[in-house]
Amino acid sequence: MSNSGWHKVEFQDFINKFNKNIAIDTSPTILYSKKDKEHEAYNALIAFFFISGFLLIYIAVSMILIELYFSLILFVVVIIVGALTDGILLLMYIRSNIAIRPLESWIEIYESLTEGNETYYCFSYYIVFSGKCIPNKARNVVYKLYQENLLKSKIDITQIEIYLKRSREETNKLDVLGYFFQYGEGKPFKSEDIDRNLWKFFPYETSFNENYLAIANWDHQYEWRNDLELDFDKLHDYAPWVITTWNEEKLKPLTDTYKRSLNWDLRQLESDPKLKPWLGNLETQTYESFRAYKDLQLMNEAIEKVIGNDKELNKLKDLKGYLLKIKAYFRDLNY
């Protein structure tokens, strides 16, 4: 048993002892916004409409002046060049208009045997998103370079812990105690002022009456559906909200081998359960991690080393001349 009082249980051993349905039935239902997207190339869309308007005007003028002057070669060249440019611009916009969504959930199971023969379990669910988009466009590009060169993947992984206790009456039954996760209630969705050390425990009863967990912000922290309904602007500005549940195909055990392939040590995640139910009231226990901002720290260090602290980064043009140097910086860290 580890010093924390928890030890990891192999998923197959657990379902042999209990059954696999409890992991699926206990998995958190997630609400996510369809407006959680990568930055869209609005300049390309504006240029598309501008060129489209120019082509329509050019065709109209050419038809009006056809008896005075008309060059078939010039007309065809302008139409072809304009149409190709429009196609490229539209493709750039469509490719940038990418929604971020949850893909699947991984699970680790931990067990603790304490004095008095009480047995506790922690189901650690890792909700995997297709990506993450920092509101600051320039820093978002640097973050993508960090993911590409160090993490080797652009997926975003979040963690929700659910604590359980073996029933005294039925030894093959587990009673759910509650949820523990990064709580982002009340923050605007695009606010960069996030607190990754604000973890909070909620009793299991909080999830009753379809009070699902909703994505609180771009960093994929969580708040409750009831919290969201009190935040009128967020609820309506980021609608529609989509319900995601997990079945046997989308819920997978997370192995140590797979963790290594994900460069787990470079991520801000810590696998060991954060709370100790045998010590008493879970709602009063707290947790802070020295790894909470590891990804953002690495990103900021790259900016400081390559660009310096005296230059503001807000727009893509602020990165002009630095992208290859930043990519090389991350590549050198990887080696």
Side-chain angles (χ1 to χ4, degrees), residues 71-89:
S71 171
L72 180 60
I73 295 176
L74 178 62
F75 182 82
V76 171
V77 168
V78 170
I79 296 300
I80 291 176
V81 171
L84 286 175
T85 303
D86 249 5
I88 293 171
L89 290 170

Side-chain angles (χ1 to χ4, degrees), residues 63-289:
M63 294 299 101
I64 292 171
L65 301 178
I66 192 168
E67 294 184 0
L68 299 176
Y69 175 79
F70 182 78
S71 171
L72 180 60
I73 295 176
L74 178 62
F75 182 82
V76 171
V77 168
V78 170
I79 296 300
I80 291 176
V81 171
L84 286 175
T85 303
D86 249 5
I88 293 171
L89 290 170
L90 184 59
L91 182 61
M92 287 174 59
Y93 174 74
I94 292 173
R95 291 186 63 181
S96 72
N97 188 17
I98 301 173
I100 296 171
R101 59 188 181 87
L103 301 175
E104 59 185 4
S105 177
W106 305 326
I107 184 174
E108 287 184 305
I109 298 177
Y110 291 84
E111 179 186 53
S112 177
L113 299 176
T114 62
E115 294 181 5
N117 295 321
E118 296 283 12
T119 306
Y120 297 95
Y121 289 89
C122 175
F123 291 176
S124 192
Y125 292 93
Y126 300 95
I127 313 301
V128 183
F129 289 82
S130 57
K132 174 157 63 181
C133 182
I134 297 178
N136 182 301
K137 289 186 178 182
R139 290 181 179 273
N140 185 60
V141 171
V142 179
Y143 191 80
K144 292 293 190 290
L145 291 175
Y146 154 76
Q147 291 179 309
E148 177 185 337
N149 290 276
L150 290 183
L151 300 184
K152 307 300 182 182
S153 170
K154 292 184 179 180
I155 61 172
D156 184 43
I157 307 171
T158 65
Q159 186 178 23
I160 299 170
E161 294 183 342
I162 298 182
Y163 290 84
L164 307 95
K165 182 179 179 180
R166 186 199 291 269
S167 172
R168 291 185 176 182
E169 290 75 23
E170 302 177 56
T171 55
N172 63 344
K173 179 184 176 184
L174 297 178
D175 297 322
V176 183
L177 301 177
Y179 302 77
F180 193 58
F181 53 84
Q182 282 186 27
Y183 191 47
E185 183 263 340
K187 292 276 188 180
F189 199 91
K190 294 296 183 182
S191 172
E192 293 189 59
D193 181 25
I194 58 170
D195 184 355
R196 288 183 175 171
N197 276 320
L198 185 58
W199 287 72
K200 195 168 181 180
F201 178 84
F202 295 89
Y204 180 53
E205 293 75 20
T206 310
S207 65
F208 291 0
N209 300 317
E210 299 183 338
N211 189 21
Y212 307 134
L213 283 174
I215 301 303
N217 52 40
W218 61 271
D219 199 41
H220 300 143
Q221 297 178 320
Y222 296 94
E223 61 184 312
W224 293 101
R225 180 181 185 179
N226 288 350
D227 298 330
L228 192 63
E229 289 180 347
L230 296 175
D231 191 340
F232 182 88
D233 290 339
K234 186 188 292 185
L235 178 65
H236 291 276
D237 289 348
Y238 286 89
W241 294 84
V242 182
I243 299 176
T244 299
T245 56
W246 313 104
N247 55 28
E248 190 172 346
E249 292 181 358
K250 290 186 176 182
L251 183 63
K252 305 172 183 178
L254 179 59
T255 64
D256 291 336
T257 301
Y258 195 45
K259 277 184 174 181
R260 286 191 290 272
S261 72
L262 291 165
N263 292 308
W264 201 262
D265 291 341
L266 293 175
R267 298 178 183 272
Q268 68 272 21
L269 299 162
E270 289 191 70
S271 298
D272 287 347
K274 319 291 186 292
L275 303 180
K276 299 177 180 179
W278 55 89
L279 294 182
N281 190 351
L282 287 168
E283 294 184 58
T284 61
Q285 295 185 32
T286 59
Y287 168 76
E288 287 190 4
S289 171

Side-chain angles (χ1 to χ4, degrees), residues 38-72:
E38 297 289 351
H39 291 293
E40 296 171 290
Y42 286 115
N43 289 340
L45 185 63
I46 293 170
F48 165 80
F49 285 119
F50 178 81
I51 292 175
S52 297
F54 167 78
L55 288 176
L56 291 174
I57 293 171
Y58 176 76
I59 292 171
V61 171
S62 297
M63 294 299 101
I64 292 171
L65 301 178
I66 192 168
E67 294 184 0
L68 299 176
Y69 175 79
F70 182 78
S71 171
L72 180 60

